[in-house]
Amino acid sequence: MVGIRQQAAFHTDRDAHGRQLSASEREKLLKPYLPAAPEKQAASQPPQNSKAAQLFNHKPRVRPALRHAIHYLLFTLIHTIFSLYIRIRQVNHALVDRVLAVLYYHHRTPELIRRDVKGLSKVPQHLSVILQLPPEGGKKDRLEALVHDACEVAAWSACAGVSMVSIYERTGILKSSLQHLHRRIERNLASYYGATSPLKPTVSLRAPHQSSYSPPHSPEPSSHGTAGSSRPHITILLISASDGRQTLVDLTRTLASMAQDQKLQPGDISAELIDAEISESVMGEPDLLICFGDRVVLDGYPPWQVRLTEIYGVQDHRGGVEYHVFLRGLYRFARAEMRFGR
Amino acid sequence: MASTQGASLRRWLFNLPPVDWVVHQLRELLINTLKCGPIPQHIAFVMDGNRRYARTHKLETVEGHHLGFEALARILEVCYKSGVKVVTIYAFSIENFKRSRYEVDGLMDMAKLKLVQMSQHGELFDRYGASVRILGDRTLVRQDVLEQVNRAVEMTKHNEQAVLNVCFPYTSREEITRSIRETVREFSTPTQRVKGQRGFSETHVLRNLRRSHLSSVMEEERPRKHDVSKSDEYHNDADSSEISDQEDLDASTTLQHSSSQTSHSPSPTLNPSTGKASPVRRKQPAHFRDPETLTEAHLDKNTYTFPAPPLDLLIRTSGVYRLSDFMLWQCHEGTEMKFLDCLWPEFDLWQFLPTLLEWQWRQKREGVDEGGRGGLLKGM
């Protein structure tokens, strides 16, 4: 550790007596903390190739080998201890998760969810989640699990009052049948709110570059023309890995063709132009991104939009999509302070 | 000059030479043991929390930044000794220019001081084999700081073992925009088709074609029509201009190819096309690369961090859970993001070690899993 006097000297470039330090003096201060100079023996050894010199010129072999053995032993020891620590931590987190899951179970009741959310100072306008296709299982089972997760997330967000949800799933398999997914979401919402509740939100399902799907609802009365329909509305957007980097590549291709046709100068390309294009064709910036895995990895999530997004993931969480993780994400978002560089 | 951390007994104790030596040896030992396992190749740090630290410890903000710089030096030491190839740090954001003028000037002055110190101790970087690169939009920086920046970069350019990327001033969106702009610029400059590279001369091929056509014309009168339409096509085709280009180039190259000598004796059908091709050539659009060949790799090539390996680990201190416009392009795939609660000046080996260990542990486990799964597949 650098001593106190040396620290102060480094801060202001003067030593204890107020004299300006010279370069060599500073180096002297630092010398004890540096690694050894790289050995330049290798260059000088080849010339001494006489046999006698080889006999008497033995390279140090034992000590580096011993050191290496000690390091390896210590490495295995540290990793054993660490695996133990990780297991304990995982068990601990699992226990806490279980307790929270029981405490905060939503019971499919929107009122409970709304009560949980009431104390929060702010709720994200645009919420985003990263879902994962379960790795094992038959194709239909995996898709079924994924659809179930998506419906649950949609229902919780609708109850919490979020107006836009974007669901990211790497392979994009959810986009293959918007109609089916919409029906499932409606069914799930009905199980939460009751089939004919005036508070049940209307859902419109969208994917970039595909037309939106929001079928007309039969019990829609003629009060459609009144200012602000009585039912809240939630928009669900499905995105996949191709909406990430690939979209930026497509945009670059378009700009390149335009530049080749002299419709555009490269100097005209600015961040605002790209932002306008991308947010219009894919999605805007989410306020909160929740990862339900055991560590925070973006895994192909669109890079442009995630600039100021709060990214939340519970450590060591292995239970998949669960309500308490969602709630904790919302709590974290409410506490966050935005500083914008200030 | 009282100690900045307050005169605590603990600090005095740790500064005693024997204790200091023991702690130092322990650190060396730990770093060397870490080297036995997989080490991330590219780590990024967001150095957040300097001002908060200064506030809670009742110090000046600038002093907080100085302590932050020291924490950085400690962490760099750990990283380079462990064998990390590239370390990227977020020193200054373009958004930070919105801060109070006093603070911005203070930061710029501190940057200048540190850069001057760094340039005077180029040998230290040589010991680690580290080269310093400054990434970001340099046009926004004061002139005197820019000079120091360039000097520091020049001094360490020859080191190749490790890289320190200092993002100053940097915004990831600006980087992506710049990458797109440069790629578009590349694709909109007309390329010169490098002719004569393939060893086949186009005039030779064309003459063989014509000869076979002429021979078929001699035998039958019918294909006259085809011949005329074909020569019309040759007029409008891009190749017609290339024939003339090719002839010029063949004349100028030293390739002693037989066709180059005979290409100057124009065959009867070539002459009219040569004459008609020259005005066509002037209206000919320049040859561009096809935008459909644009891939991620082109955009990657034009980012600031370019030759660096993909980002393995991104660490942000002070409990903020955002990326704040840092490395958006690079960390969108498999980068593990760790958000720690300690403040940056407190960040040291003891906080960094669990993160590294966990990364190593996960890599080993995934390696075992993949090996197991691969074995299972082979067994099937």
Side-chain angles (χ1 to χ4, degrees), chain A residues 89-106 292 314-325 328:
Chain A
R89 197 181 71 181
Q90 280 176 343
V91 164
N92 189 21
H93 277 135
L95 279 175
V96 169
D97 281 357
R98 285 293 109 218
V99 167
L100 281 177
V102 167
L103 269 181
Y104 283 108
Y105 191 58
H106 51 84
F292 289 102
V314 178
Q315 217 182 22
D316 290 338
H317 176 75
R318 306 189 126 234
V321 176
E322 286 190 6
Y323 176 66
H324 65 94
V325 177
R328 279 155 83 177

Side-chain angles (χ1 to χ4, degrees), chain B residues 11 22 39 51 68 76 96 121 139 179 183 198 212 215-216 220 264 342 375:
Chain B
R11 192 162 162 76
V22 163
I39 293 275
R51 289 185 298 169
L76 282 183
N96 285 350
H121 300 309
T139 57
S179 165
T183 313
R198 298 186 210 115
S212 60
S215 58
S216 58
E220 300 159 20
H264 279 289
C342 68

